[in-house]
């Protein structure tokens, strides 16, 4: 086991959409639409264990004690820039969540993360944090982002990505074994430039049409 808390969402709809996203022939518009759809399905999985309480309501038929979210506060943290592609769909499902941003770019020589932005909600210690980044590659940026989220006070943190490489999962397991990872696929590995194989290329370029 490379991470004690790794969940690969093997739902057929997720796998189908992911295959189309990986395909080189898929357009920017198609990629973006699928990313939004898949992020809704992944959001469903990352929130699976949110606590419920009961509320007394009246249906047209009778009174009942009905389950409702306990109201634990959530913060979504997008790891820029590709994180924004996952953020939109997750936010659609959890519209009341606060949103933070962590800007990290990868130095292409050292593959180490360089921070250029950090804006998180002020009460992170009171929130469940969901960090979103489509690609868990070397894990260096992801681990650094989770460092910042922990420094801001959050203790209950989950990491949501589209693809994960074994190297990144291992790095996260070493740095943050307490942070569950939810992904649509555990891919084969990384190339010499730190890109995921078979992967889908540069997620930011694919979703924003840059190259
Ligand atoms: N970031 C990407 O966008 N793609 C990869 O394959 C790895 C990191």
């Amino acid at each position: 086991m490379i991470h004690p808390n790794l969940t690969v969402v093997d739902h057929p709809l997720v796998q189908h959409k992911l295959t189309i996203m990986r395909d080189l022939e898929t357009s920017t518009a198609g990629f973006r639409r699928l990313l939004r759809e898949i992020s809704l399905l992944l959001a469903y999985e990352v929130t699976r264990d949110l606590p419920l309480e009961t509320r007394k309501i009246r249906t047209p038929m009778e009174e009942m004690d009905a389950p409702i979210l306990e109201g634990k506060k959530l913060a979504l943290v997008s790891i820029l820039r590709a994180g924004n592609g996952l953020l939109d769909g997750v936010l659609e499902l959890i519209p009341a969540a606060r949103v933070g941003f962590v800007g990290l770019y990868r130095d292409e020589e050292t593959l180490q993360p360089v921070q250029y932005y950090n804006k998180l909600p002020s009460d992170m210690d009171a929130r469940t944090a969901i960090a979103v980044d489509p690609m868990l590659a070397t894990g260096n940026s992801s681990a650094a982002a989770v460092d910042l989220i922990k420094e801001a006070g959050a203790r209950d943190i989950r990491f949501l990505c589209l693809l994960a490489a074994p190297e990144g999962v291992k790095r996260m397991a070493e740095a943050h074994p307490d942070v569950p990872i939810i992904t649509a696929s555990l891919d084969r590995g990384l190339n010499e430039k730190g890109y995921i194989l078979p992967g889908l290329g540069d997620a930011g370029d694919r979703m924003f049409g840059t190259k």
Side-chain angles (χ1 to χ4, degrees), residues 58-78:
R58 287 178 61 85
T59 75
M61 308 305 291
E62 61 180 17
E63 199 172 81
M64 74 174 284
D65 290 317
I68 194 159
L69 283 174
E70 205 180 61
K72 190 156 174 17
K73 299 195 283 185
L74 288 167
L76 307 178
V77 180
S78 170

PDB file of all heavy atoms in Angstrom, residues 58-78:
ATOM      1  N   ARG A  58     -41.738  18.540   8.104  1.00  0.00           N
ATOM      2  CA  ARG A  58     -43.033  17.963   7.747  1.00  0.00           C
ATOM      3  C   ARG A  58     -43.042  17.743   6.249  1.00  0.00           C
ATOM      4  O   ARG A  58     -42.843  18.687   5.483  1.00  0.00           O
ATOM      5  CB  ARG A  58     -44.166  18.918   8.128  1.00  0.00           C
ATOM      6  CG  ARG A  58     -44.426  18.999   9.610  1.00  0.00           C
ATOM      7  CD  ARG A  58     -45.531  20.004   9.896  1.00  0.00           C
ATOM      8  NE  ARG A  58     -46.784  19.610   9.250  1.00  0.00           N
ATOM      9  CZ  ARG A  58     -47.656  18.761   9.781  1.00  0.00           C
ATOM     10  NH1 ARG A  58     -47.429  18.263  10.983  1.00  0.00           N
ATOM     11  NH2 ARG A  58     -48.753  18.435   9.150  1.00  0.00           N
ATOM     12  N   THR A  59     -43.227  16.523   5.814  1.00  0.00           N
ATOM     13  CA  THR A  59     -43.473  16.271   4.396  1.00  0.00           C
ATOM     14  C   THR A  59     -44.971  16.528   4.181  1.00  0.00           C
ATOM     15  O   THR A  59     -45.719  16.719   5.157  1.00  0.00           O
ATOM     16  CB  THR A  59     -43.141  14.812   3.996  1.00  0.00           C
ATOM     17  OG1 THR A  59     -44.171  13.963   4.487  1.00  0.00           O
ATOM     18  CG2 THR A  59     -41.795  14.375   4.548  1.00  0.00           C
ATOM     19  N   PRO A  60     -45.453  16.525   2.971  1.00  0.00           N
ATOM     20  CA  PRO A  60     -46.912  16.680   2.787  1.00  0.00           C
ATOM     21  C   PRO A  60     -47.697  15.556   3.467  1.00  0.00           C
ATOM     22  O   PRO A  60     -48.910  15.678   3.688  1.00  0.00           O
ATOM     23  CB  PRO A  60     -47.078  16.635   1.263  1.00  0.00           C
ATOM     24  CG  PRO A  60     -45.758  17.109   0.739  1.00  0.00           C
ATOM     25  CD  PRO A  60     -44.737  16.573   1.689  1.00  0.00           C
ATOM     26  N   MET A  61     -46.985  14.459   3.837  1.00  0.00           N
ATOM     27  CA  MET A  61     -47.681  13.301   4.393  1.00  0.00           C
ATOM     28  C   MET A  61     -47.640  13.255   5.921  1.00  0.00           C
ATOM     29  O   MET A  61     -48.610  12.909   6.576  1.00  0.00           O
ATOM     30  CB  MET A  61     -47.046  12.005   3.864  1.00  0.00           C
ATOM     31  CG  MET A  61     -46.930  11.942   2.354  1.00  0.00           C
ATOM     32  SD  MET A  61     -48.501  12.211   1.540  1.00  0.00           S
ATOM     33  CE  MET A  61     -49.367  10.729   1.978  1.00  0.00           C
ATOM     34  N   GLU A  62     -46.441  13.578   6.497  1.00  0.00           N
ATOM     35  CA  GLU A  62     -46.299  13.463   7.950  1.00  0.00           C
ATOM     36  C   GLU A  62     -45.014  14.128   8.400  1.00  0.00           C
ATOM     37  O   GLU A  62     -44.197  14.563   7.591  1.00  0.00           O
ATOM     38  CB  GLU A  62     -46.300  11.988   8.372  1.00  0.00           C
ATOM     39  CG  GLU A  62     -45.153  11.188   7.778  1.00  0.00           C
ATOM     40  CD  GLU A  62     -45.176   9.732   8.207  1.00  0.00           C
ATOM     41  OE1 GLU A  62     -46.213   9.260   8.687  1.00  0.00           O
ATOM     42  OE2 GLU A  62     -44.124   9.087   8.052  1.00  0.00           O
ATOM     43  N   GLU A  63     -44.816  14.132   9.717  1.00  0.00           N
ATOM     44  CA  GLU A  63     -43.586  14.676  10.280  1.00  0.00           C
ATOM     45  C   GLU A  63     -42.511  13.596  10.261  1.00  0.00           C
ATOM     46  O   GLU A  63     -42.805  12.410  10.384  1.00  0.00           O
ATOM     47  CB  GLU A  63     -43.884  15.094  11.727  1.00  0.00           C
ATOM     48  CG  GLU A  63     -42.885  16.062  12.290  1.00  0.00           C
ATOM     49  CD  GLU A  63     -43.348  16.580  13.642  1.00  0.00           C
ATOM     50  OE1 GLU A  63     -43.152  15.870  14.639  1.00  0.00           O
ATOM     51  OE2 GLU A  63     -43.907  17.692  13.668  1.00  0.00           O
ATOM     52  N   MET A  64     -41.272  14.022  10.069  1.00  0.00           N
ATOM     53  CA  MET A  64     -40.186  13.024  10.130  1.00  0.00           C
ATOM     54  C   MET A  64     -38.908  13.678  10.631  1.00  0.00           C
ATOM     55  O   MET A  64     -38.741  14.901  10.549  1.00  0.00           O
ATOM     56  CB  MET A  64     -39.915  12.399   8.747  1.00  0.00           C
ATOM     57  CG  MET A  64     -39.189  13.308   7.791  1.00  0.00           C
ATOM     58  SD  MET A  64     -38.720  12.528   6.209  1.00  0.00           S
ATOM     59  CE  MET A  64     -37.322  11.518   6.669  1.00  0.00           C
ATOM     60  N   ASP A  65     -37.993  12.849  11.174  1.00  0.00           N
ATOM     61  CA  ASP A  65     -36.635  13.293  11.495  1.00  0.00           C
ATOM     62  C   ASP A  65     -35.789  12.996  10.266  1.00  0.00           C
ATOM     63  O   ASP A  65     -35.495  11.843   9.969  1.00  0.00           O
ATOM     64  CB  ASP A  65     -36.099  12.527  12.711  1.00  0.00           C
ATOM     65  CG  ASP A  65     -36.828  12.948  13.978  1.00  0.00           C
ATOM     66  OD1 ASP A  65     -37.051  14.160  14.145  1.00  0.00           O
ATOM     67  OD2 ASP A  65     -37.188  12.064  14.783  1.00  0.00           O
ATOM     68  N   ALA A  66     -35.376  14.035   9.552  1.00  0.00           N
ATOM     69  CA  ALA A  66     -34.701  13.839   8.261  1.00  0.00           C
ATOM     70  C   ALA A  66     -33.224  14.207   8.359  1.00  0.00           C
ATOM     71  O   ALA A  66     -32.864  15.156   9.067  1.00  0.00           O
ATOM     72  CB  ALA A  66     -35.378  14.699   7.207  1.00  0.00           C
ATOM     73  N   PRO A  67     -32.353  13.446   7.645  1.00  0.00           N
ATOM     74  CA  PRO A  67     -30.920  13.744   7.702  1.00  0.00           C
ATOM     75  C   PRO A  67     -30.573  15.035   6.962  1.00  0.00           C
ATOM     76  O   PRO A  67     -31.126  15.313   5.893  1.00  0.00           O
ATOM     77  CB  PRO A  67     -30.288  12.527   7.013  1.00  0.00           C
ATOM     78  CG  PRO A  67     -31.354  11.964   6.149  1.00  0.00           C
ATOM     79  CD  PRO A  67     -32.667  12.297   6.795  1.00  0.00           C
ATOM     80  N   ILE A  68     -29.646  15.765   7.535  1.00  0.00           N
ATOM     81  CA  ILE A  68     -29.191  17.023   6.931  1.00  0.00           C
ATOM     82  C   ILE A  68     -27.733  17.218   7.351  1.00  0.00           C
ATOM     83  O   ILE A  68     -27.328  16.731   8.413  1.00  0.00           O
ATOM     84  CB  ILE A  68     -30.115  18.185   7.396  1.00  0.00           C
ATOM     85  CG1 ILE A  68     -29.905  19.427   6.542  1.00  0.00           C
ATOM     86  CG2 ILE A  68     -29.949  18.496   8.870  1.00  0.00           C
ATOM     87  CD1 ILE A  68     -31.079  20.384   6.592  1.00  0.00           C
ATOM     88  N   LEU A  69     -26.936  17.869   6.509  1.00  0.00           N
ATOM     89  CA  LEU A  69     -25.520  18.069   6.852  1.00  0.00           C
ATOM     90  C   LEU A  69     -25.406  18.798   8.188  1.00  0.00           C
ATOM     91  O   LEU A  69     -26.144  19.757   8.449  1.00  0.00           O
ATOM     92  CB  LEU A  69     -24.808  18.880   5.761  1.00  0.00           C
ATOM     93  CG  LEU A  69     -24.439  18.135   4.481  1.00  0.00           C
ATOM     94  CD1 LEU A  69     -23.885  19.102   3.442  1.00  0.00           C
ATOM     95  CD2 LEU A  69     -23.443  17.013   4.753  1.00  0.00           C
ATOM     96  N   GLU A  70     -24.461  18.356   9.009  1.00  0.00           N
ATOM     97  CA  GLU A  70     -24.320  18.875  10.353  1.00  0.00           C
ATOM     98  C   GLU A  70     -23.957  20.362  10.354  1.00  0.00           C
ATOM     99  O   GLU A  70     -24.021  21.036  11.372  1.00  0.00           O
ATOM    100  CB  GLU A  70     -23.214  18.075  11.070  1.00  0.00           C
ATOM    101  CG  GLU A  70     -23.316  18.050  12.556  1.00  0.00           C
ATOM    102  CD  GLU A  70     -22.179  17.246  13.138  1.00  0.00           C
ATOM    103  OE1 GLU A  70     -21.008  17.621  12.938  1.00  0.00           O
ATOM    104  OE2 GLU A  70     -22.478  16.214  13.761  1.00  0.00           O
ATOM    105  N   GLY A  71     -23.519  20.828   9.209  1.00  0.00           N
ATOM    106  CA  GLY A  71     -23.203  22.255   9.130  1.00  0.00           C
ATOM    107  C   GLY A  71     -21.749  22.534   9.425  1.00  0.00           C
ATOM    108  O   GLY A  71     -21.354  23.669   9.694  1.00  0.00           O
ATOM    109  N   LYS A  72     -20.932  21.472   9.402  1.00  0.00           N
ATOM    110  CA  LYS A  72     -19.482  21.689   9.570  1.00  0.00           C
ATOM    111  C   LYS A  72     -19.014  22.538   8.400  1.00  0.00           C
ATOM    112  O   LYS A  72     -19.373  22.300   7.256  1.00  0.00           O
ATOM    113  CB  LYS A  72     -18.754  20.343   9.591  1.00  0.00           C
ATOM    114  CG  LYS A  72     -17.319  20.470   9.998  1.00  0.00           C
ATOM    115  CD  LYS A  72     -16.828  19.156  10.574  1.00  0.00           C
ATOM    116  CE  LYS A  72     -15.357  19.077  10.893  1.00  0.00           C
ATOM    117  NZ  LYS A  72     -14.595  20.262  11.004  1.00  0.00           N
ATOM    118  N   LYS A  73     -18.221  23.527   8.728  1.00  0.00           N
ATOM    119  CA  LYS A  73     -17.858  24.477   7.687  1.00  0.00           C
ATOM    120  C   LYS A  73     -16.768  23.906   6.775  1.00  0.00           C
ATOM    121  O   LYS A  73     -15.873  23.206   7.231  1.00  0.00           O
ATOM    122  CB  LYS A  73     -17.399  25.765   8.341  1.00  0.00           C
ATOM    123  CG  LYS A  73     -18.527  26.374   9.193  1.00  0.00           C
ATOM    124  CD  LYS A  73     -18.290  27.788   9.582  1.00  0.00           C
ATOM    125  CE  LYS A  73     -17.305  27.949  10.706  1.00  0.00           C
ATOM    126  NZ  LYS A  73     -17.164  29.333  11.157  1.00  0.00           N
ATOM    127  N   LEU A  74     -16.888  24.232   5.517  1.00  0.00           N
ATOM    128  CA  LEU A  74     -15.943  23.709   4.524  1.00  0.00           C
ATOM    129  C   LEU A  74     -15.140  24.839   3.889  1.00  0.00           C
ATOM    130  O   LEU A  74     -15.635  25.947   3.720  1.00  0.00           O
ATOM    131  CB  LEU A  74     -16.702  22.983   3.406  1.00  0.00           C
ATOM    132  CG  LEU A  74     -17.325  21.639   3.775  1.00  0.00           C
ATOM    133  CD1 LEU A  74     -18.284  21.203   2.693  1.00  0.00           C
ATOM    134  CD2 LEU A  74     -16.251  20.592   3.951  1.00  0.00           C
ATOM    135  N   ALA A  75     -13.922  24.524   3.522  1.00  0.00           N
ATOM    136  CA  ALA A  75     -13.113  25.452   2.720  1.00  0.00           C
ATOM    137  C   ALA A  75     -12.529  24.661   1.560  1.00  0.00           C
ATOM    138  O   ALA A  75     -11.952  23.580   1.754  1.00  0.00           O
ATOM    139  CB  ALA A  75     -11.988  26.051   3.560  1.00  0.00           C
ATOM    140  N   LEU A  76     -12.729  25.181   0.364  1.00  0.00           N
ATOM    141  CA  LEU A  76     -12.084  24.586  -0.807  1.00  0.00           C
ATOM    142  C   LEU A  76     -10.827  25.385  -1.076  1.00  0.00           C
ATOM    143  O   LEU A  76     -10.859  26.615  -1.024  1.00  0.00           O
ATOM    144  CB  LEU A  76     -13.010  24.652  -2.019  1.00  0.00           C
ATOM    145  CG  LEU A  76     -14.414  24.076  -1.808  1.00  0.00           C
ATOM    146  CD1 LEU A  76     -15.242  24.261  -3.078  1.00  0.00           C
ATOM    147  CD2 LEU A  76     -14.313  22.613  -1.435  1.00  0.00           C
ATOM    148  N   VAL A  77      -9.731  24.696  -1.333  1.00  0.00           N
ATOM    149  CA  VAL A  77      -8.488  25.408  -1.616  1.00  0.00           C
ATOM    150  C   VAL A  77      -8.001  24.972  -2.994  1.00  0.00           C
ATOM    151  O   VAL A  77      -7.641  23.814  -3.205  1.00  0.00           O
ATOM    152  CB  VAL A  77      -7.402  25.124  -0.549  1.00  0.00           C
ATOM    153  CG1 VAL A  77      -6.135  25.893  -0.898  1.00  0.00           C
ATOM    154  CG2 VAL A  77      -7.899  25.496   0.841  1.00  0.00           C
ATOM    155  N   SER A  78      -8.028  25.937  -3.919  1.00  0.00           N
ATOM    156  CA  SER A  78      -7.591  25.647  -5.283  1.00  0.00           C
ATOM    157  C   SER A  78      -6.097  25.903  -5.395  1.00  0.00           C
ATOM    158  O   SER A  78      -5.606  26.971  -5.016  1.00  0.00           O
ATOM    159  CB  SER A  78      -8.351  26.550  -6.251  1.00  0.00           C
ATOM    160  OG  SER A  78      -7.789  26.449  -7.538  1.00  0.00           O
TER     161      SER A  78
END
